[in-house]
Amino acid sequence: MKGKSGYTGKILNVDLDGGTMSEETIPDEIYESHLSGMGLAAALLYDRIPAGADPLGPDNILGIVSGLLTGTGSFFTGRWMVVGKSPLTGGWGDANCGGSFAPAIKRCGYDGIFFRGISERPVYLLVKNGTPQLRDAAHLWGMDAVETEELLIEEHGNGARVACIGPAGENRSLISGISNDRGRLAARSGLGAVMGAKRLKAVVLAGKGRIHAHDPDEMKRLSAACNKWVRFQPPFVSGPFTAKIGALLRVMPTQMAQDGMLFKIILKKWGTACMNQMSIEMGDSPIKNWTGSNRDFGTDRSKPTNPDAIIERERIKYHCYSCPLGCGGICTMEGKYTETHKPEYETILALGGLCMNADADSLFEMNEMLNRAGMDTISAGSTVAFAIECYERGIITKEDTGGLELTWGNAPAIVELVQKMITREGIGDLLADGSKFAAERIGKNSAAFAMHAGGQDLPMHDGRNDPGFALHYSVEPTPGRHTIGAQLYYEMFQLWRKVKDLPKAQMLYSKDRKFETGEDKAIKAAACSKYVNVMNGAGLCLFSAFLGAHRLPLFEWLNAATGWNKTAEEYLEIGERIQTLRQAFNIKHGIKPRTFVIPNRALGKEPLSEGANKSRTVDIEPMIRDYWRLFGWDETSGNPKEESIKRLGIKQ
Amino acid sequence: MSYSITDSCNGCGACARLCPVDAIHGEKKEKHRIDKLLCIECGACGRVCPEGAILDAAGNPCTMIKRSQWEKPRFDRKICTSCNICIDACPVGCLDLSEPDDRKDPHGYPCMKVEKACIGCGFCAAECPVGAVTMAVE
């Protein structure tokens, strides 16, 4: 049956000031030029959030959006996105999360729900049987994210899907996120604090509407073909052996362009934990607040978190909505909580190697604590590492920490510090907004040890090992983001197979070339940015892209879902438009893109004296200029040029 | 389009009790109506109506079918990807993931959780991208 086309064409606007709600029809042209999801949100929020709006004030608009492909019969489309002005960076903010919440938005008949204003009292939004209503949330305020979700499901039935904040969001921690599916977090950009400031505790969606595709038979054909690649799963090495692969990649004089299928295979087996040891050994993961290396945190110390050790605790694997891969899992643990989501790579490394913490039990415990609190584990780990370095250097003392011995690898102290950050108790209050704000409060030249870009703490991928990461941390409108691009990603995406004129990755090349920072790298980075923006408009998970563009029928799915007939190049232009809108949003709000430069330490200035990234310095300045020029932005300031804005049809 | 109710309706309310989206309303012994904005075209009302008073979205009259003869989903685990699409598509929440059978395969697979709740709509089978769900009478 041919009929409706991917998106619902409607959004719900909620004004928390007056408690009023209204449906709004979005013109088809918006979807055709921006897709749905992130693109739709960028188009609306660029217009609607006034310049200079206080991110925690009534003028900020917080949106939750679903992807264009979500629910249309395509795979990997379980990502929903939260958007708004970030209180952490002061610019465009977004974060996304998997689970079961993305289709719930569309089953209520909306592509997105947008909140402005501030409620006088805590409320939650309930959409059930086609009727939205704001309800009193006084009984939920103070509860953690898991308790909140469980109570709301008890009240509204098993079919209800819940996104909510925990205590971190209520406390307006600038590193707080929004949780769904019992502690999975849309973590970055600090948008949990925006929800907390609006006194919006939760969004409960219990719609049962159907989502249609223009050509469902073609959608199925494409999905079945894609699934053959997902199912390809040869036997692989043991978990501990992954560390040896990492060591091999470190010492090899040459570099091989990596087919993302290799990553897919280990991801399917272990989840993101597959990279825990490999990454340290090859120099991808920063250690000891970016001052250490595999020499400081070798395989003996990372062994308790090797991939096999993690899945040993896994009780059941889970899949996000429409995901055939299934990288997630529920793990059993001892202590106050008996279960937790399988800790992600970023969590294990941020609270592990970055803090020199080798205690696996404490990592599981903090994973659950932070998930329930609704606090970003990357930022939390990075801020703890910053605090430890300050303590070790005598910048903060035992008096400041409330008696905690904040030394490298002191697991009990790290756990207690994280608890204090969640509750904003003592030194925890000082650290609860991430390392940038903590450094501003502490002073004493501590800013040199705060590893962030524009306020966003850096993820666990080292630009000294892949300059592409350093570049994206700096040029992204939401800085410090590891899910956009890198040299490695470009090789795995294999976009040149779909998009003419993009350079093909060389299969084997000298290791030195990996660390060069020429225009070639900027071209690849720009292509990654555009592609990921298309994915975020479609609602796809980043991990699907690692299948390779020739195995993941993203553009074909979009055409079959909507009835359009766009080329790959036309879709990448949509990606370019979304990226330019997000950058223009920042300019409108007074952000100077140059301020998103990452710290010297993360660029190898001074270079490390040993380990995988020994003697390496990254000069990202030429790449930044090239990247901005390729987007039609001013090479010096990063401001989108007038002609680019006009070419992309962006209204000013 | 949505399902609709003809003048043959005797107001027994069987359809309203079964409708998973609360789209059917009416007084007892009076003609009921379907809210076309809420109707998801699951067809449950048509299968349960003793008067044949329901028309499907194309305007064709529906036929009452004994509940024991309603089709139910069957799952082929060899094809299933555990993607949850079928579970999400079910308007009555009668499907769920199973606990894993053993350590070798830690995945949960879709299974019938509340058989009595199934309305035989077939959305699970229709939305499965790999054809792992089929509908059949037991």
Side-chain angles (χ1 to χ4, degrees):
Chain A
M1 186 187 84
K2 303 208 177 217
K4 297 172 194 170
S5 48
Y7 51 89
T8 71
K10 271 193 313 183
I11 62 166
L12 178 69
N13 291 309
V14 181
D15 187 343
L16 292 164
D17 279 340
T20 56
M21 282 166 278
S22 62
E23 286 185 359
E24 179 184 349
T25 301
I26 303 294
D28 287 341
E29 302 87 79
I30 297 284
Y31 295 96
E32 289 196 34
S33 53
H34 299 81
L35 306 179
S36 188
M38 173 97 90
L40 171 66
L44 297 180
L45 298 194
Y46 174 65
D47 271 349
R48 297 182 181 185
I49 299 179
D54 174 4
L56 300 179
D59 287 338
N60 195 9
I61 298 174
L62 184 78
I64 56 167
V65 288
S66 193
L68 194 148
L69 284 176
T70 302
T72 59
S74 45
F75 279 131
F76 299 111
T77 53
R79 305 300 288 193
W80 63 284
M81 279 142 276
V82 56
V83 290
K85 183 171 178 177
S86 165
L88 186 60
T89 67
W92 174 265
D94 64 57
N96 72 49
C97 192
S100 60
F101 195 70
I105 300 169
K106 287 173 95 170
R107 291 202 187 281
C108 286
Y110 306 120
D111 294 314
I113 303 174
F114 293 85
F115 301 88
R116 69 160 304 282
I118 291 179
S119 175
E120 277 184 10
R121 55 192 170 77
V123 290
Y124 70 93
L125 175 76
L126 171 69
V127 187
K128 197 171 186 178
N129 293 334
T131 310
Q133 50 184 304
L134 286 169
R135 293 198 165 190
D136 184 51
H139 63 302
L140 301 167
W141 205 255
M143 282 186 180
D144 73 36
V146 176
E147 291 166 343
T148 302
E149 182 170 340
E150 285 177 347
L151 189 57
L152 286 167
I153 286 176
E154 198 180 309
E155 288 176 14
H156 300 294
N158 264 335
R161 301 286 180 250
V162 178
C164 64
I165 52 170
E170 290 180 15
N171 293 338
R172 303 183 192 188
S173 156
L174 301 187
I175 55 171
S176 61
I178 300 169
S179 159
N180 68 293
D181 288 46
R182 295 177 170 82
R184 300 193 60 186
L185 215 62
R188 311 239 76 192
S189 299
L191 295 171
V194 177
M195 199 158 156
K198 291 187 178 302
R199 296 194 186 91
L200 177 67
K201 177 67 178 176
V203 178
V204 184
L205 305 178
K208 292 172 182 171
R210 297 198 74 191
I211 307 160
H212 296 272
H214 174 78
D215 189 343
D217 294 335
E218 176 66 357
M219 295 298 295
K220 283 194 178 196
R221 189 190 68 76
L222 293 166
S223 297
C226 174
N227 189 43
K228 285 182 184 163
W229 291 108
V230 179
R231 289 182 86 95
F232 175 70
Q233 192 71 6
F236 202 67
V237 295
S238 68
F241 195 74
T242 57
K244 291 188 170 54
I245 296 174
L248 186 68
L249 290 170
R250 182 179 74 233
V251 299
M252 271 172 56
T254 53
Q255 181 75 20
M256 194 172 70
Q258 289 181 40
D259 190 317
M261 279 294 283
L262 293 169
F263 181 67
K264 191 284 301 182
I265 290 164
I266 58 175
L267 186 70
K268 189 168 181 181
K269 181 176 167 81
W270 287 296
T272 55
C274 66
M275 293 294 293
N276 286 357
Q277 284 188 295
M278 194 190 304
S279 184
I280 296 169
E281 292 304 312
M282 67 195 274
D284 175 43
S285 179
I287 299 295
K288 202 177 181 183
N289 203 28
W290 297 72
T291 62
S293 71
N294 53 302
R295 295 282 187 94
D296 302 287
F297 205 78
T299 50
D300 53 336
R301 299 198 73 175
S302 60
K303 190 178 172 185
T305 54
N306 86 61
D308 280 349
I310 296 292
I311 63 169
E312 184 63 32
R313 303 183 187 214
E314 191 175 45
R315 181 178 66 75
I316 181 171
K317 280 177 84 73
Y318 65 67
H319 298 229
C320 294
Y321 169 80
S322 84
C323 176
L325 191 62
C327 64
I330 299 293
C331 292
T332 55
M333 59 190 278
E334 291 180 359
K336 184 180 174 188
Y337 306 111
T338 55
E339 284 191 344
T340 189
H341 290 278
K342 183 166 61 183
E344 301 287 350
Y345 161 87
E346 293 287 333
T347 307
I348 293 281
L349 272 299
L351 293 156
L354 200 68
C355 302
M356 299 290 284
N357 175 19
D359 183 84
D361 289 334
S362 74
L363 296 172
F364 275 78
E365 185 181 355
M366 286 187 282
N367 183 57
E368 185 63 10
M369 284 163 57
L370 289 162
N371 288 350
R372 284 175 173 264
M375 185 179 271
D376 175 16
T377 55
I378 299 176
S379 297
S382 173
T383 308
V384 169
F386 160 80
I388 293 173
E389 184 162 356
C390 286
Y391 186 89
E392 293 267 10
R393 288 174 180 269
I395 295 172
I396 56 175
T397 64
K398 213 168 177 175
E399 274 182 20
D400 300 314
T401 64
L404 291 180
E405 283 275 7
L406 271 190
T407 50
W408 294 115
N410 185 348
I414 293 170
V415 173
E416 204 170 329
L417 185 64
V418 166
Q419 182 59 42
K420 285 177 186 288
M421 287 168 65
I422 290 169
T423 55
R424 279 195 180 275
E425 178 198 338
I427 191 173
D429 185 37
L430 188 144
L431 300 173
D433 298 318
S435 65
K436 178 194 170 190
F437 289 95
E440 284 175 4
R441 288 163 191 159
I442 291 169
K444 301 177 189 172
N445 298 321
S446 62
F449 321 125
M451 304 304 291
H452 67 90
Q456 181 78 73
D457 280 277
L458 297 183
M460 300 305 109
H461 296 283
D462 198 325
R464 291 169 295 192
N465 183 60
D466 184 334
F469 281 115
L471 175 66
H472 286 282
Y473 292 165
S474 295
V475 296
E476 244 297 293
T478 53
R481 189 62 61 90
H482 67 288
T483 49
I484 308 294
Q487 169 82 5
L488 174 71
Y489 287 6
Y490 187 79
E491 292 169 357
M492 296 204 292
F493 290 175
Q494 303 188 54
L495 281 171
W496 62 86
R497 291 175 183 265
K498 284 280 186 183
V499 184
K500 59 185 179 195
D501 299 338
L502 282 181
K504 185 181 174 185
Q506 205 175 333
M507 286 316 292
L508 199 66
Y509 51 93
S510 140
K511 196 65 158 282
D512 292 343
R513 282 198 54 206
K514 182 180 173 186
F515 308 108
E516 286 173 0
T517 54
E519 187 188 12
D520 175 61
K521 294 283 174 68
I523 291 170
K524 292 170 177 174
C528 285
S529 293
K530 292 174 191 174
Y531 189 58
V532 170
N533 274 304
V534 174
M535 295 181 72
N536 286 338
L540 257 73
C541 173
L542 176 71
F543 294 155
S544 66
F546 296 151
L547 286 174
H550 54 307
R551 302 183 188 112
L552 180 79
L554 170 58
F555 307 132
E556 293 86 347
W557 268 329
L558 284 165
N559 283 339
T562 57
W564 303 334
N565 190 26
K566 292 186 190 297
T567 63
E569 287 78 8
E570 286 172 319
Y571 279 115
L572 284 202
E573 188 182 86
I574 293 176
E576 182 182 356
R577 182 175 296 111
I578 298 170
Q579 184 77 346
T580 301
L581 260 173
R582 294 163 74 230
Q583 184 81 343
F585 180 97
N586 283 356
I587 308 300
K588 176 180 170 181
H589 289 269
I591 296 284
K592 290 189 169 69
R594 295 297 314 172
T595 59
F596 288 167
V597 160
I598 61 177
N600 280 339
R601 181 184 284 177
L603 296 171
K605 304 170 184 173
E606 302 281 324
L608 291 175
S609 58
E610 59 176 19
N613 296 321
K614 180 183 173 183
S615 305
R616 235 174 253 153
T617 303
V618 183
D619 181 11
I620 57 169
E621 290 302 316
M623 281 200 298
I624 290 177
R625 287 196 294 273
D626 286 336
Y627 178 93
W628 284 346
R629 179 175 49 75
L630 289 163
F631 268 99
W633 305 348
D634 184 84
E635 285 179 45
T636 313
S637 67
N639 294 357
K641 288 181 179 172
E642 196 65 39
E643 59 259 36
S644 306
I645 295 274
K646 202 171 170 184
R647 176 175 57 82
L648 294 168
I650 294 170
K651 289 178 191 162
Q652 283 186 296
Chain B
M1 294 296 290
S2 78
Y3 278 51
S4 56
I5 302 179
T6 68
D7 290 341
S8 310
C9 173
N10 66 4
C12 72
C15 56
R17 286 194 292 277
L18 200 60
C19 177
V21 291
D22 206 18
I24 307 178
H25 297 280
E27 297 296 321
K28 257 189 177 178
K29 297 183 181 175
E30 287 180 15
K31 183 187 167 187
H32 280 44
R33 59 173 186 81
I34 299 176
D35 183 336
K36 64 181 180 186
L37 291 176
L38 292 180
C39 175
I40 56 172
E41 302 173 26
C42 68
C45 50
R47 281 188 291 279
V48 79
C49 177
E51 300 297 317
I54 310 275
L55 303 180
D56 69 15
N60 302 312
C62 302
T63 308
M64 184 190 179
I65 304 172
K66 277 171 58 180
R67 198 145 185 175
S68 61
Q69 294 301 303
W70 288 7
E71 290 185 329
K72 300 274 170 66
R74 306 272 170 83
F75 305 96
D76 185 342
R77 281 194 177 191
K78 285 181 186 162
I79 307 173
C80 178
T81 63
S82 298
C83 73
N84 292 314
I85 287 180
C86 56
I87 295 171
D88 190 82
C90 177
V92 293
C94 68
L95 307 181
D96 203 352
L97 280 183
S98 65
E99 287 289 310
D101 291 339
D102 55 55
R103 284 290 304 163
K104 282 183 186 168
D105 186 358
H107 293 83
Y109 290 95
C111 61
M112 182 61 80
K113 184 180 68 173
V114 194
E115 191 154 0
K116 278 184 181 172
C118 179
I119 54 173
C121 65
F123 289 177
C124 48
E127 295 206 10
C128 176
V130 293
V133 189
T134 50
M135 298 296 289
V137 179
E138 285 188 0

